[in-house]
Amino acid sequence: MNEIKNRIWLEKVIRTALEEDLGAGDLTTNAIIEHEMNGQAVLMTRETIVLAGLPVFSRVFELLDPDVRFDYDFQDGMRVPAGGRICVVAGKLSAILEAERTALNFAQRMSGIATLTRQYVDQIGSLKTKIIDTRKTAPGLRLLDKYAVVMGGGHNHRMGLFDGILIKDNHIAAAGSIKKAVLLAKEKAPHTIKVEVEVEDLTGLDEAIQAGADMVLLDNMSADLIQKAVDLAGKRVLLEASGGIKLENIQEIAKAGVDLISVGALTHSARAVDLSLEVITIP
Amino acid sequence: MNEIKNRIWLEKVIRTALEEDLGAGDLTTNAIIEHEMNGQAVLMTRETIVLAGLPVFSRVFELLDPDVRFDYDFQDGMRVPAGGRICVVAGKLSAILEAERTALNFAQRMSGIATLTRQYVDQIGSLKTKIIDTRKTAPGLRLLDKYAVVMGGGHNHRMGLFDGILIKDNHIAAAGSIKKAVLLAKEKAPHTIKVEVEVEDLTGLDEAIQAGADMVLLDNMSADLIQKAVDLAGKRVLLEASGGIKLENIQEIAKAGVDLISVGALTHSARAVDLSLEVITIP
Amino acid sequence: MNEIKNRIWLEKVIRTALEEDLGAGDLTTNAIIEHEMNGQAVLMTRETIVLAGLPVFSRVFELLDPDVRFDYDFQDGMRVPAGGRICVVAGKLSAILEAERTALNFAQRMSGIATLTRQYVDQIGSLKTKIIDTRKTAPGLRLLDKYAVVMGGGHNHRMGLFDGILIKDNHIAAAGSIKKAVLLAKEKAPHTIKVEVEVEDLTGLDEAIQAGADMVLLDNMSADLIQKAVDLAGKRVLLEASGGIKLENIQEIAKAGVDLISVGALTHSARAVDLSLEVITIP
Amino acid sequence: MNEIKNRIWLEKVIRTALEEDLGAGDLTTNAIIEHEMNGQAVLMTRETIVLAGLPVFSRVFELLDPDVRFDYDFQDGMRVPAGGRICVVAGKLSAILEAERTALNFAQRMSGIATLTRQYVDQIGSLKTKIIDTRKTAPGLRLLDKYAVVMGGGHNHRMGLFDGILIKDNHIAAAGSIKKAVLLAKEKAPHTIKVEVEVEDLTGLDEAIQAGADMVLLDNMSADLIQKAVDLAGKRVLLEASGGIKLENIQEIAKAGVDLISVGALTHSARAVDLSLEVITIP
Amino acid sequence: MNEIKNRIWLEKVIRTALEEDLGAGDLTTNAIIEHEMNGQAVLMTRETIVLAGLPVFSRVFELLDPDVRFDYDFQDGMRVPAGGRICVVAGKLSAILEAERTALNFAQRMSGIATLTRQYVDQIGSLKTKIIDTRKTAPGLRLLDKYAVVMGGGHNHRMGLFDGILIKDNHIAAAGSIKKAVLLAKEKAPHTIKVEVEVEDLTGLDEAIQAGADMVLLDNMSADLIQKAVDLAGKRVLLEASGGIKLENIQEIAKAGVDLISVGALTHSARAVDLSLEVITIP
Amino acid sequence: MNEIKNRIWLEKVIRTALEEDLGAGDLTTNAIIEHEMNGQAVLMTRETIVLAGLPVFSRVFELLDPDVRFDYDFQDGMRVPAGGRICVVAGKLSAILEAERTALNFAQRMSGIATLTRQYVDQIGSLKTKIIDTRKTAPGLRLLDKYAVVMGGGHNHRMGLFDGILIKDNHIAAAGSIKKAVLLAKEKAPHTIKVEVEVEDLTGLDEAIQAGADMVLLDNMSADLIQKAVDLAGKRVLLEASGGIKLENIQEIAKAGVDLISVGALTHSARAVDLSLEVITIP
């Protein structure tokens, strides 16, 4: 998913967003802007960001003006300083004005996620632990949210319920025990997918490993307990720490030696970064 | 839009979100949960919130289990204390587990927006100024984001480019002057729609009023300047303050006497509230 | 909406229409026309019309032959005399034959609406009253129907229930009085939208104005009564005459001084104009 | 197609129409009508009509209120006198008001087509000639337009390019002669479909019959010439008269003995009939 | 339908298939293939086939790489020997790898149908009987399945329930007799469509002809009985043999003189042919 | 995916199939069958099958008649003897006749796949090797094809490119070596997904294991070579045999000790089983 090149789902997301904003048409632009007038617009950032969503931003304009042109100074995944010029858009002024808000809404959200992710990743420094996302994304925007996490230096957990197995407390309760749940999953689930199970203590971890789990999610454990879990697991399974992760404590948890730390806030609570599009009319 | 009763657009949004998460199916639930098993789940909040999105939350479950039942303790727009039980879901356990994350993603985002909105509204107290939203919403979720603002005590600005006129600096530059832009809008735009124009100083405000604008957006003005604008306008137009609004300064700006204060952060940067769904297996 | 440039909704309408006519394919053309054969076609009108729908007409051909070319003698909004050549289409003969009926169906309906609208507008002459449309459009074709009204010199009333407020008798009955209904609307409705209310007599008009309505629809009133309403209103509100408007009486009503006259027949009962597409095979 | 019972295409048409009118929601109803209030509405006709579209009318309300109920006095295909009560709708008042215009737009157009068709059919009296429609329908509404023709006593020509063969002048020109075109069609086209060819004189008719056409369209011929064509054909082919057909001359043409008379005006130029929906609030 | 040139339905089928396989993206290609790397691929057949589906195959690649180029050695409908090179694809390597399986799935199925059809057609030799398909196609792929039959030298029966009339035993039972069913069909059905009725013996055939059927399906009759049916019919109706047709007995049945032989196996049981796509990386 | 309970994608597949067959309506049924007539139909099999697709079969009828009822004698996954009655459908006769072919097309294809899969599975007997499918499915029907494989006792390989990693020769060539490709995949791909690589000899297998592959696909190897591969791997990786698998040789290959054997023919070349729907009119 590192390249947003498969247009089929992306086109649908962008068209839905454009229709939501444009509807029957832009009353203001229709009333004031000559249809033939051209213009340029400069995308700037008012704060230091990690950029994500530039191909989506551009595609919004292309849908309203197939002849629009772009001049890029930065690419997705790059850090852009406050005041930095990201790209220049040149085309029909009316299309630029109509696409502006929708394009910015994508870029501001996605760059917000990438920028927040980078903050977490920077806390980890040279440690091998990977920062991963969750399924706590904005409905309809999961693929873009998760792409932004990668642009910020994070990694993706499963995309949905269909491409990963994560046995949670409810599944365990229904199965009767961690062991039973893991065995059922290993028997019935696709052989291409690893089996991960959520545990709340070291006993659970031990049971999961014995049952043959490939990965274990350590739920809401302290750094100390995580350290013990790492020792107990002895690299027999991948270990993911989850729950209560913040910028303040992530380094400590990473040092405890887990392979993965998942952070829901990356996608459910990133604030939009402050981008602006300065439009210049061309006479 | 106060009632989310027009199912036509809502169904599409929910189906898109469910497909995004469920895809071909829930590998974990398919492997472990007996298809015939029933269950109950309790929606709780771990923090004090203003609730929004409950009908959307419920509809997600209904799409996977038409016979699911709900028992509600709260409704959208109500304040729910930390630890409060919002509702109970009873139906097929497999459907509950499959719908859980998608339903929570809606409710957590929407309640996050409502809760943040309420914080701004509470700052205003008994003043008549209305807190309004912007078009800075998550792509594809605008109607839900704006519904959540209303649930938090805010009001909606235009839904999109099609149902309101807001003449911005770029339109003014293209038209030649505030006056010319306003006159064009009044001539060409639908008679049902009010004409709003963005100004940066009192001269602009005066020009806008003279030209016949119905509303004026005061862009990034200090509380002092806003006070002068209110005096100058003398109730001849609706005045909207916008730009740089924070919880810290909104009361001061409201006291200056504007009719409306728009806050982009309500929808572009609200954090998700912390809801949980506790599932209980029924033997 | 004056420019049909936002392709997103238009593409859907055209694709639906093409699929409806073409389905699995054109049996006649498939059997008889060589796939490689080119052709030209001339769009003519057999009667004097006001043209509307040319960009839609063209787009139908483009969807079946991306390389088709057009040579235009007229543009939307222009009057074309009987026998006038509107444009020439050149491209693959098979695509021209397959697109012909669908393209004509759009252009004949839209030009019919524009031509009828112009007849009403011409009755008004230099009076300031605007001729406006209603929501009585062909299901699925509203944006095109309303675009055609503008091409004929008319103006648009609200596009739908979402971008204008019109309080009718049923709303008044439910609210209890004109005053109560108007006050509710002004309190709850978006500040960007004007509040219009329908009244049946001068008492109603007075009540509406007192309550703060922005616009009043005078329902089925005689020209005499309308005159009195105009006097009573004294420019405090916009006045719209509606009901029983015909080519024969519209001038009299306009002279009475209303701002707007709405005519449902423009879109619900315009007859299709008589266009023809003469195809010339190119050897 | 006599029963509109295949919901798959009909649902799409109705949803599109409802979305077009309702969009984000009905501002007026949302502001004024209590969500829990119930109501009744009576569908009346202000003129004598042939009814068509009642199941479509009803379905619009059902989509907004699944519990709405109907009490019918008439069915599609029946003549309803001016002032006649067609049906009563009972359900949520808000849903009734939101569905009203869309439902009426369908019923008024469809009944308009049925009523006009019946006028043509009545001219034919007891003659065996069938009145048939054309492909000159409103884009996106063909199946409903053609259903309405049947309700008015007419019959359907082919639904589209995919289910009938009609060789026109352009096909003949491309093939080289009527004979060559007919032979190509008979060789390549599906054996389930009859081959019809358009001719302009008796020579063409003779050539078409010799070549094995199943049906011949007599294009723009006088009643006299049609009479001769009927004699020449001697029941070897079905004969369709087309072009220049009006209420005034259709009887004469029918008497000339053709099997079918096609009338484009039935669907492209029928005016909407005058229906009203009187809503009664229930306290 | 001989040309697959109407992109509207074809695009939908291909997009659905691509989304089904690609989903959020190709994990393997994303991880390993440089986005900028180009490549070539050669489509070969490992067995002798009749080719069908090449335009569909190509279109799949185009949707992922608009700049992809093709060099064709064969066209649809041609026989390609085992080991034959069908075409070369040149473009982005990542797009080629992502499109490969979907493109092959189309081409292998369609060529399988064409190849099997040709085997049946070759059994007929110079006899005039046409081999036709049925509605027993893969759900969602009917138009492609039927196109493949034509490429294999077969002909199409009706496309669906909407473009042909075939009265079966159940219809006859409901109507009361063959005669009544045929008369009802001739009265109510479109005049453009021939009426076919299924019979099980010569008495039924006689009754069908007397009632005016245009075509008769001889259901599961022996070659001997078919011979008698042909004699009885004496070219008054088209005769279709159906049921129990195999490669071994089709020649005998054709010799009995029927006009059409329908074979469900062509589309419901053709095996996929063995095609391969050899990809060559370009440094 | 073992339960087809997520209606969201299934509804789309069924609606597409129904529209393909029904289009504007069933001409034959419309002409002959009284709309109010009820009927029953019995689904039988003329040969011994493993049943798959019964919920899909039923859903087709439900979409045309929401009140239809079913009485089941068998369920998906069960073996049904030749002549066995599978279920009885009772409802509107017209809906039964209209749904019949589409419903049968699903059930015959899916049961064909299940029946063929069971033949392969039966060859394996009590050996632990799993029979798995491939991505060689009918475009648009993958989820149903793969569901049918499970009903036949087989297992699913990855659903698409998005939920499994399979490094093929082209990826290896682009990466430079098996080792490099595997390392890239392990570094960049999601941690939830196992890495599988295709090898052609034992050297490749060794390299893959050393590089850390989770699974290895043995491409077109003889049973002897596979035996050696199993010995070499020593359970360090999952081994999949692929290519050239037939009913005749699958047992030998399974005995060689591979974990998985993939068979493309299960889905790309299964023949439809012979089901019939006997309809009984109810007076």
Side-chain angles (χ1 to χ4, degrees), chain B residues 62 131 153:
Chain B
E62 286 174 5
I131 306 300

Side-chain angles (χ1 to χ4, degrees), chain F residues 235-269:
Chain F
K235 300 216 173 284
R236 287 175 294 172
V237 292
L238 284 178
L239 289 180
E240 171 186 350
S242 185
I245 313 295
K246 298 177 185 171
L247 277 173
E248 294 74 30
N249 65 2
I250 195 168
Q251 194 176 41
E252 185 188 7
I253 289 167
K255 284 183 177 165
V258 285
D259 303 286
L260 307 149
I261 301 177
S262 59
V263 186
L266 300 183
T267 51
H268 72 53
S269 293

Side-chain angles (χ1 to χ4, degrees), chain A residues 1-3 5-9 11-12 143 159 162, chain E residues 15 18-19 22-25 29-30 35 64 94 98:
Chain A
M1 234 272 305
N2 293 20
E3 314 277 351
K5 61 196 161 192
N6 172 8
R7 292 290 170 88
I8 294 171
W9 61 263
E11 290 283 312
K12 284 196 225 171
L143 295 181
M159 285 293 153
F162 54 88
Chain E
R15 283 174 189 274
L18 259 177
E19 280 203 299
L22 257 179
T29 298
N30 278 341
H35 189 48
L64 297 186
S94 60
E98 290 167 358

Side-chain angles (χ1 to χ4, degrees), chain C residues 112-175:
Chain C
I113 291 172
T115 302
L116 181 61
T117 302
R118 173 63 67 187
Q119 292 175 31
Y120 279 89
V121 170
D122 286 348
Q123 289 296 318
I124 300 292
S126 61
L127 295 169
K128 286 195 182 167
T129 309
K130 290 179 177 176
I131 305 301
I132 59 174
D133 53 29
T134 66
R135 289 163 45 237
K136 297 175 182 175
T137 54
L141 299 176
R142 179 166 294 166
L143 295 181
L144 294 180
D145 282 6
K146 284 186 167 254
Y147 166 86
V149 166
V150 174
M151 289 303 107
H155 292 78
N156 296 147
H157 207 305
R158 57 177 174 171
M159 285 293 154
L161 296 166
F162 53 87
D163 70 336
I165 290 179
L166 177 44
I167 303 169
K168 295 196 174 178
D169 49 358
N170 299 311
H171 301 103
I172 293 168

Side-chain angles (χ1 to χ4, degrees), chain A residues 3-29:
Chain A
E3 314 277 351
I4 312 188
K5 61 196 161 192
N6 172 8
R7 292 290 170 88
I8 294 171
W9 61 263
L10 184 57
E11 290 283 312
K12 284 196 225 171
V13 173
I14 297 178
R15 283 174 190 276
T16 297
L18 259 177
E19 280 203 301
E20 184 183 63
D21 196 35
L22 258 179
D26 178 351
L27 296 176
T28 315
T29 297

